[in-house]
Amino acid sequence: MRVAIFTDEVGWHTRQLQAALRLRGAVGRCIDLADCHVDTTAAWHGLVIPGFGRALPDAALVRGIAAGSFEAVTKRLGVLHALRALGVPVYNEGQAIERSVDKSMTSLLLQAAGVATPPTWATESAAQAQRIVMRESAAGHALVLKPLFGSQGKGLMRVGLVDGTHVPLPPMQQVAGRLAYLQRFVPQADATRPGFDWRVLVVGGRAITAMRRVSPHWIHNVAQGARCEPAPLEDGLVQAAEAAAGALQMDYAGVDLIPSPQGIQVLEVNGVAAWRGLQQVTRFNIAQALVADLMDRKMAQALQRRA
């Protein structure tokens, strides 16, 4: 069995996946989606996947998609859509990745599914964004301005009422994509102690492991220096994480959650989640759990569809 591991970076995560696939008698080949292309003369299916000749992979596991122009990213996602249409199990599917990469779509789907998440706004109008920030600031709230397509806690800033001082929205020309994605900031209950949020890994619809990301800074991403601590899978955490992954129809997801006076709230849902930090506090092998779900559930579903 040959599995395409779609990734723009070869490293620890891809080695973990390849080792897990070998344990199941499969071979994982790392391929950048940028190197895949359409050629309707090359094979009956019209796709060229490097390393597979005229054939298609038996399955595809999406680990990362490189940034690029709108056209380039559309083509890369189109390859994932085409593979699924051709009967190849894709883990996560292109549509699921689109839902999670676009934070505004994530917020819409979480809201529609009744999953608790902080109030959120996304607008291209500078005037409307300014009014939102002013109104929230007057009500005593800070907002987090996030890049719509950002990850790993990069490019985040707080606006509105921040530590008792009004921080205005920067000029729209300085905002990524000239689009303001604003989410109400959830402060820590005890400001004298390092804050935290949770990362829960959901695989095949089931929360399987969790950690607390602890940091004195208000950004709790591991990539920004947060400390990883094991966290028990308590009922409230499990229910919120599984509901979030279900709302976006994810095969696997890294769900970020935070405690609030209103209860646990979902901040983000990651469709190509890294798990190196989580593996440090998890007793079982996460890559093996992902591969097991791909082969035992996802591929079985594909076989049923073919039948």
Side-chain angles (χ1 to χ4, degrees):
M1 183 179 297
R2 299 190 302 167
V3 177
I5 301 174
F6 289 124
T7 180
D8 57 320
E9 293 182 355
V10 175
W12 183 86
H13 288 89
T14 54
R15 290 193 296 271
Q16 290 281 303
L17 291 170
Q18 288 175 315
L21 286 165
R22 284 195 297 270
L23 288 174
R24 295 294 299 264
V27 175
R29 181 183 293 274
C30 294
I31 301 164
D32 193 333
L33 278 166
D35 296 329
C36 301
H37 58 275
V38 173
D39 183 348
T40 58
T41 69
W44 66 269
H45 46 74
L47 286 178
V48 176
I49 312 295
F52 288 88
R54 296 170 59 86
L56 292 172
D58 296 298
L61 203 158
V62 184
R63 174 62 215 127
I65 302 175
S69 67
F70 177 77
E71 292 82 359
V73 173
T74 298
K75 187 274 293 181
R76 294 165 196 170
L77 288 168
V79 171
L80 301 182
H81 291 308
L83 286 170
R84 184 192 184 282
L86 291 164
V88 177
V90 180
Y91 192 94
N92 280 308
E93 294 178 359
Q95 190 174 28
I97 290 174
E98 289 169 348
R99 291 169 178 148
S100 62
V101 167
D102 178 354
K103 291 185 176 65
S104 64
M105 180 55 67
T106 298
S107 296
L108 281 172
L109 292 172
L110 292 176
Q111 176 74 15
V115 179
T117 187
T120 304
W121 301 263
T123 179
E124 297 179 57
S125 166
Q128 185 180 40
Q130 291 285 6
R131 286 195 295 270
I132 292 166
V133 172
M134 292 296 293
R135 185 180 68 235
E136 287 289 297
S137 183
H141 301 301
L143 297 169
V144 181
L145 176 64
K146 301 182 179 183
L148 191 69
F149 301 132
S151 63
Q152 298 185 329
K154 297 176 182 176
L156 276 58
M157 69 173 296
R158 288 187 296 177
V159 297
L161 192 65
V162 181
D163 298 329
T165 302
H166 177 73
V167 177
L169 187 76
M172 213 63 160
Q173 296 90 333
Q174 299 176 18
V175 177
R178 298 193 177 188
L179 184 147
Y181 175 86
L182 297 157
Q183 190 174 68
R184 185 179 289 170
F185 176 67
V186 180
Q188 296 293 314
D190 185 354
T192 64
R193 302 176 63 184
F196 74 94
D197 66 7
W198 291 284
R199 162 63 64 89
V200 179
L201 184 65
V202 179
V203 177
R206 185 170 64 90
I208 64 169
T209 186
M211 68 177 175
R212 295 199 335 161
R213 304 186 298 187
V214 183
S215 174
H217 194 272
W218 63 272
I219 300 175
H220 301 131
N221 294 75
V222 175
Q224 302 300 320
R227 183 177 75 253
C228 302
E229 296 180 351
L233 282 170
E234 299 174 349
D235 289 346
L237 204 59
V238 167
Q239 291 168 7
E242 291 180 352
L248 274 67
Q249 298 180 16
M250 313 290 285
D251 290 315
Y252 77 102
V255 184
D256 297 339
L257 311 98
I258 196 165
S260 78
Q262 293 76 38
I264 295 172
Q265 298 195 55
V266 175
L267 295 177
E268 295 183 11
V269 183
N270 303 276
V272 286
W275 67 85
R276 190 166 188 171
L278 186 55
Q279 185 65 80
Q280 295 172 5
V281 296
T282 300
R283 293 182 179 180
F284 60 86
N285 186 286
I286 292 173
Q288 291 177 18
L290 294 171
V291 167
D293 187 53
L294 165 64
M295 300 183 75
D296 299 338
R297 180 187 61 85
K298 187 76 172 183
M299 295 192 73
Q301 291 175 349
L303 289 172
Q304 289 175 354
R305 283 198 298 269
R306 290 173 190 170

